[in-house]
Amino acid sequence: MELNSVKIHQNYEKILENVKKYSPYPEKVKILFVSKYLNVEEHKAVIDMGYDYFGENRAQLYRDKLNEFSDEKYKNIKWDFIGRLQKNKIKYIINSVNLVHSIDSYQLLEEINKKAIENNKTISGLIQINVSREESKTGVYIEDFKKDSEKYFSMSNVKIAGFMTMAPFDASEYEIDNYFSKMRELKEEYEKKYDYITELSMGMSNDYIEALKNGATIIRIGSKLFE
């Protein structure tokens, strides 16, 4: 991929402008640079441009990249995991991940907690909600989460910091707004019960403005930065 630093900066600044324009609390919003498109050399170039918050979606590639970014100069880079996480791949991310966005079942949460205990770590994570009930997507349905919500907050070594969702790619603006407003309501309900719930990860390159309007605190941007 040919990286044009001027274009990336311009695109990033435009997204920042939209954060200020559309978010009810722009000071809380973080732009997560989706870095799955980048090989190691390209990723180093992007870091040299001044970016320091990245999301990877494959556990083994995450592990391999972090091995390449072990120098002191990379110590302040934050790495989130945003892809589907298989139980046998937790070991690849457990010691370095900033936030796991994709805890898509209680069983996965239990396994992450087990691995966190083994590694003497406390992990921050988000419950992935399948807000549109798409069969092709993983995640917990809102009503199922509410039925058993207390158990999700009972882990010794995983702190649930909020929620994550993805809207269907072909959904209309009206449908997207409806899905994201349900997520906003879910966060508002549970942050009253658990004061450490602060995050709502939703919105990607194609729908981040609707997400911002509905209170997203993390927007996951990839292709929009390279246009």
Side-chain angles (χ1 to χ4, degrees), residues 114-130:
K114 180 180 165 188
K115 288 287 188 294
I117 292 168
E118 289 171 4
N119 287 272
N120 197 27
K121 292 279 182 182
T122 299
I123 301 297
S124 291
L126 307 178
I127 301 299
Q128 181 174 339
I129 300 292
N130 187 344

Side-chain angles (χ1 to χ4, degrees), residues 19-27 29 184 211-216:
V19 169
K20 291 171 188 169
K21 183 176 179 181
Y22 294 109
S23 173
Y25 32 68
E27 71 284 355
V29 177
R184 184 191 71 238
L212 289 171
K213 290 175 182 175
N214 282 289

Side-chain angles (χ1 to χ4, degrees), residues 27-212:
E27 71 284 355
K28 294 182 180 178
V29 177
K30 297 174 280 294
I31 300 171
L32 181 65
F33 202 126
V34 176
S35 47
K36 65 181 180 180
Y37 307 96
L38 304 173
N39 63 33
V40 170
E41 292 310 311
E42 290 164 344
H43 205 145
K44 286 180 178 178
V46 168
I47 290 171
D48 288 340
M49 293 175 200
Y51 301 102
D52 62 2
Y53 183 37
F54 299 101
E56 289 284 329
N57 72 333
R58 293 179 64 189
Q60 282 156 291
L61 286 176
Y62 174 104
R63 173 202 61 189
D64 294 345
K65 271 195 182 179
L66 258 69
N67 287 337
E68 297 284 345
F69 292 96
S70 56
D71 295 352
E72 182 72 10
K73 69 179 283 191
Y74 301 118
K75 69 177 182 179
N76 294 321
I77 303 297
K78 285 199 297 186
W79 303 90
D80 286 8
F81 189 78
I82 60 176
R84 188 169 186 186
L85 183 58
Q86 295 169 290
K87 291 177 186 175
N88 64 343
K89 305 285 176 65
I90 296 168
K91 60 190 175 187
Y92 297 142
I93 71 168
I94 197 75
N95 284 304
S96 54
V97 71
N98 170 63
L99 182 67
V100 180
H101 290 234
S102 48
I103 302 176
D104 61 6
S105 70
Y106 181 69
Q107 292 73 28
L108 178 61
L109 174 60
E110 284 185 306
E111 195 63 27
I112 294 171
N113 190 63
K114 180 180 165 188
K115 288 287 188 294
I117 292 168
E118 289 171 4
N119 287 272
N120 197 27
K121 292 279 182 182
T122 299
I123 301 297
S124 291
L126 307 178
I127 301 299
Q128 181 174 339
I129 300 292
N130 187 344
V131 68
S132 59
R133 301 179 68 95
E134 276 186 286
E135 290 184 8
S136 61
K137 281 196 173 76
T138 61
V140 187
Y141 294 158
I142 286 179
E143 55 271 33
D144 292 340
F145 173 76
K146 286 186 174 185
K147 265 187 241 166
D148 292 312
S149 63
E150 285 185 15
K151 71 181 185 180
Y152 288 88
F153 297 97
S154 66
M155 297 292 123
S156 60
N157 288 52
V158 181
K159 181 173 148 188
I160 300 303
F163 303 98
M164 183 274 261
T165 202
M166 291 178 283
F169 195 77
D170 58 355
S172 67
E173 191 174 319
Y174 172 81
E175 289 169 327
I176 291 169
D177 184 68
N178 183 49
Y179 293 138
F180 287 168
S181 68
K182 286 180 180 176
M183 293 300 299
R184 184 191 71 238
E185 290 165 6
L186 184 70
K187 176 177 177 273
E188 287 172 350
E189 179 180 344
Y190 280 89
E191 67 188 357
K192 290 172 187 169
K193 300 179 182 179
Y194 304 96
D195 60 6
Y196 48 84
I197 288 183
T198 56
E199 304 296 355
L200 185 53
S201 171
M202 61 185 188
M204 299 187 285
S205 291
N206 63 309
D207 58 11
Y208 77 91
I209 288 176
E210 288 80 10
L212 289 171

